[in-house]
Amino acid sequence: MELNSIQPAAGAKHVARRVGRGIGSGLGKTAGRGHKGQKSRSGGYHKVGFEGGQMPLQRRLPKRGFKSHLLKYNAEVTLTALARLDAAEIDVLALKQAGLIDAMAKVVKVVKSGEIGRAVKLSGITATAGAKAAIEAAGGSVA
């Protein structure tokens, strides 16, 4: 094989469509643009969401809700996930190393989902009222 003998695969290349080159081409006269209207004219198009001057949908609907940009720094851990950890003392760093929370997380809260059967000591981590009661019932503590 030589460099000058390499050819593209069959069907990989297509002949460019030449519009506006007479009736015989099948794309003469209006060149596939139909008759009249904004889309038929040169330079005539519009931005995404434009509805011909009518108030666009994204502006007709009411603004609703709010998502705090600080949420990416918050994380939550279940009691089931804590029970799977082998550490007796658990802090934010231990949870990050175990892969239970995101690396960007700064505030961690334990939620009451599942059960915990052994004593764990949480430091630098908050817990919901139900989760705190479950941890303390198992002999652990929340600092």
Side-chain angles (χ1 to χ4, degrees):
M1 184 191 296
E2 301 291 326
L3 281 177
N4 63 349
S5 68
I6 296 174
Q7 288 190 323
K13 293 284 187 177
H14 301 280
V15 178
R17 182 177 294 172
R18 298 186 70 219
V19 297
R21 292 294 181 272
I23 298 167
S25 70
L27 287 167
K29 194 184 168 211
T30 55
R33 287 169 170 258
H35 292 278
K36 296 187 183 175
Q38 190 178 21
K39 288 199 223 172
S40 73
R41 315 205 187 275
S42 69
Y45 220 69
H46 51 77
K47 60 188 173 196
V48 174
F50 184 68
E51 297 181 18
Q54 170 178 295
M55 188 61 67
L57 183 68
Q58 79 272 16
R59 289 191 59 200
R60 288 198 302 263
L61 297 175
K63 294 200 284 186
R64 187 169 178 277
F66 167 77
K67 187 170 182 181
S68 172
H69 65 282
L70 299 172
L71 281 177
K72 61 185 172 192
Y73 301 115
N74 297 346
E76 56 182 44
V77 180
T78 62
L79 288 175
T80 310
L82 284 184
R84 274 190 259 133
L85 276 176
D86 290 334
E89 282 197 31
I90 299 172
D91 59 350
V92 177
L93 187 64
L95 292 173
K96 285 181 182 179
Q97 287 171 343
L100 291 175
I101 60 172
D102 192 56
M104 287 178 70
K106 291 179 180 161
V107 179
V108 181
K109 191 172 229 181
V110 179
V111 293
K112 186 179 185 278
S113 175
E115 294 172 4
I116 189 160
R118 59 185 187 80
V120 290
K121 185 183 177 198
L122 301 182
S123 55
I125 299 172
T126 57
T128 61
K132 188 174 181 180
I135 291 167
E136 287 171 353
S141 65
V142 180

